[in-house]
Amino acid sequence: MTLKVALRIDGAAWKKELPDVKKLVKTAATAAWLAGNTGDFKLPVKSAEVSVLLTDDAAVHALNKAYRGIDRPTNVLSFAALDDEDEPIVDPLLLGDIAVAFETTKREALDQKISTADHLFHLIVHGVLHLIGYDHMTDADAAEMEALEIKILARNGMDNPYDD
């Protein structure tokens, strides 16, 4: 199974902070796709595509307000292409779009005492899992999604982000 990642980087902050950001995003998205596309979430396709926008707080704030009614920036937003169980699944499957805000991501990484790279990796994993169908609306769903995130991050040499 392959995953194509279309990446758009708005502004110089991402590349300045993370010179290998393209590779990081591709690695994180692929890891999430391969680990998450199983069991109840198994999609009958050989390949998929995801669009990732690395931007700033102002752009994510506008998206958050327009699509979620929340008047503030957030770290990551996911917009799934498959929102309805009746939608046809074609190969390659367009999973959807992910947008990540630089300032919020960097601030959260500093607060958590982790690298911006590790935090971005986690946010991309989180976003892709949402596109596949995982969510955290109930405690059980959150536990399942977080366990998978922890597993994916550990496979890539990162600590559990949910440990206090």
Side-chain angles (χ1 to χ4, degrees), residues 8-164:
R8 179 174 146 191
I9 304 170
D10 285 351
W14 284 107
K15 288 182 182 176
K16 183 177 179 187
E17 179 79 14
L18 303 167
D20 289 337
V21 71
K22 289 180 183 179
K23 182 179 178 186
L24 184 151
V25 168
K26 172 76 173 165
T27 301
T30 301
W33 167 246
L34 293 175
N37 189 31
T38 61
D40 291 341
F41 298 95
K42 179 77 172 157
L43 297 167
V45 295
K46 292 180 182 169
S47 61
E49 299 177 13
V50 63
S51 174
V52 177
L53 170 63
L54 300 181
T55 190
D56 58 20
D57 274 13
V60 171
H61 183 165
L63 290 169
N64 208 20
K65 186 174 180 181
Y67 292 98
R68 297 179 64 220
I70 299 173
D71 193 13
R72 64 176 167 77
T74 189
N75 51 18
V76 62
L77 291 171
S78 299
F79 301 95
L82 292 177
D83 275 342
D84 197 0
E85 291 181 18
D86 295 342
E87 291 184 56
I89 296 178
V90 296
D91 201 348
L93 175 63
L94 178 59
L95 294 176
D97 305 308
I98 297 170
V100 185
F102 179 78
E103 296 90 343
T104 298
T105 300
K106 184 166 173 87
R107 183 177 61 256
E108 289 175 351
L110 289 169
D111 290 347
Q112 296 171 30
K113 297 178 176 54
I114 60 173
S115 70
T116 305
D118 284 358
H119 192 43
L120 176 59
F121 192 101
H122 179 209
L123 294 176
I124 297 296
V125 166
H126 186 86
V128 169
L129 292 179
H130 273 306
L131 298 181
I132 295 170
Y134 292 85
D135 68 44
H136 39 80
M137 300 303 286
T138 67
D139 289 343
D141 288 345
E144 179 181 21
M145 186 172 181
E146 288 173 10
L148 185 53
E149 289 175 21
I150 292 164
K151 182 178 173 181
I152 295 165
L153 296 176
R155 286 181 183 162
N156 288 275
M158 288 168 243
D159 292 333
N160 178 351
Y162 300 105
D163 270 346
D164 291 332

